[in-house]
Amino acid sequence: MPIRRLLLPALALLISSALAQSDPPPVKSWGRYTLQYTPRNEARTYIPAQVLLKQGTRTLLTASDDTIRTELQPLRPGGLPELVITLYSGGAHCCTTTLIYTQDNGRLENIGVLEQGNYPARYADLNGDGTKEVVVYSDGLAYYDWSFASSPALGTVLGWDGLRLADRTRAYAYLPGQLAVSYFKELLNELKTAAADDEGPRAELSGYYGNMILAGRGLDAERVLRSQVFSKSPTLAAWFSAHRGDLIGASYAQPEGRLSIFSGAVYPPPDQQP
């Protein structure tokens, strides 16, 4: 699943580890269920890829998109690993959607639909408890006041909290912290050469600030910006003052703002299909 943008070194490193997990062998059986996969067909009329999740002869879920990946990941304790179905639309800068299912309660149950935008997810056991967290790089600030190529990413983590997948970013604050450090370094470099109206410094400032908020250090970031950035660039200071509320809102909306539960049998739902 391609990434179409210029990446900071830290973000490129994090995403490369996610892409290294790409294209596992398709899941054919999962406990009491089976999966049937049909790749997209472009021979005459375009037909998207499709996966059927079945119990015996009964089809419980039909999912379709340009590209589909299936894998098993242990995202909650006990029972079988969860079934992860990743759908990619094939569009520019969009869109990746992940459906997550469990059967640990004796029935097929969706425990999450994650709208990821441009970035793949990475699955890693970050605390050594035997279940994996979902590391997601959000493009929630894409196109805000800059082109997509300059849009900053926000580092977030979802994990099982005993009842559901929930925002666990603060427990792994070093992940958005790494991105914040990279954005801040780029911001300082840009200030030496960029024109006053260049979009780069605005985007890098926002990447630094948003990721510091996610790491629980938003006030620290404001102090650093006042002492090391705004004294050098009144233009950036004025821009930040005007947009601070939007940046805070966008950062706090991640990642649960992109997570929902799906109870239907066809995805995308018929009313959302072209």
Side-chain angles (χ1 to χ4, degrees):
M1 296 180 186
I3 303 298
R4 301 182 178 92
R5 58 159 295 169
L6 299 176
L7 298 173
L8 290 174
L11 182 58
L13 178 62
L14 291 170
I15 289 178
S16 67
S17 63
L19 292 176
Q21 304 176 59
S22 298
D23 301 322
V27 177
K28 296 181 179 180
S29 63
W30 174 53
R32 64 182 71 119
Y33 305 106
T34 58
L35 289 91
Q36 295 179 2
Y37 174 74
T38 304
R40 69 175 179 270
N41 187 336
E42 300 177 270
R44 293 184 180 178
T45 302
Y46 172 80
I47 302 174
Q50 185 181 80
V51 64
L52 304 180
L53 178 58
K54 303 174 71 75
Q55 184 174 20
T57 60
R58 181 185 175 200
T59 299
L60 302 179
L61 173 71
T62 301
S64 58
D65 214 329
D66 186 75
T67 303
I68 301 177
R69 185 179 73 204
T70 57
E71 58 192 303
L72 300 178
Q73 296 286 355
L75 302 179
R76 48 169 282 165
L80 294 174
E82 278 56 58
L83 174 66
V84 178
I85 303 173
T86 303
L87 310 175
Y88 176 59
S89 68
H93 315 315
C94 192
C95 290
T96 300
T97 302
T98 297
L99 311 177
I100 304 173
Y101 288 88
T102 187
Q103 57 176 295
D104 288 352
N105 295 323
R107 65 185 186 279
L108 182 68
E109 180 182 0
N110 179 264
I111 59 172
V113 176
L114 182 59
E115 301 290 350
Q116 294 155 238
N118 190 57
Y119 298 111
R122 179 167 69 94
Y123 304 94
D125 184 358
L126 299 177
N127 60 7
D129 67 352
T131 62
K132 292 185 178 182
E133 282 68 44
V134 186
V135 182
V136 182
Y137 310 104
S138 166
D139 57 4
L141 290 174
Y143 299 112
Y144 176 69
D145 194 23
W146 37 70
S147 64
F148 190 85
S150 296
S151 297
L154 300 173
T156 62
V157 180
L158 290 166
W160 192 254
D161 72 351
L163 292 174
R164 65 185 183 104
L165 287 173
D167 184 4
R168 298 283 291 149
T169 306
R170 290 288 175 88
Y172 309 100
Y174 65 88
L175 288 171
Q178 290 175 347
L179 290 180
V181 169
S182 288
Y183 280 118
F184 190 71
K185 289 179 179 178
E186 291 295 320
L187 172 59
L188 294 181
N189 288 333
E190 286 268 1
L191 287 177
K192 299 174 184 177
T193 58
D197 60 348
D198 194 320
E199 67 177 22
R202 299 195 302 272
E204 287 146 6
L205 182 157
S206 301
Y208 168 68
Y209 185 58
N211 280 291
M212 287 291 280
I213 288 174
L214 290 167
R217 299 179 59 195
L219 288 178
D220 290 342
E222 292 189 6
R223 285 192 286 269
V224 170
L225 290 171
R226 284 195 297 268
S227 64
Q228 299 189 42
V229 175
F230 297 154
S231 59
K232 301 175 183 177
S233 176
T235 300
L236 269 184
W239 183 90
F240 179 77
S241 178
H243 297 276
R244 176 178 178 270
D246 286 346
L247 298 178
I248 292 173
S251 300
Y252 274 109
Q254 307 301 327
E256 289 194 17
R258 294 183 173 223
L259 185 68
S260 61
I261 299 297
F262 176 67
S263 58
V266 178
Y267 195 92
D271 62 352
Q272 296 180 18
Q273 296 185 18

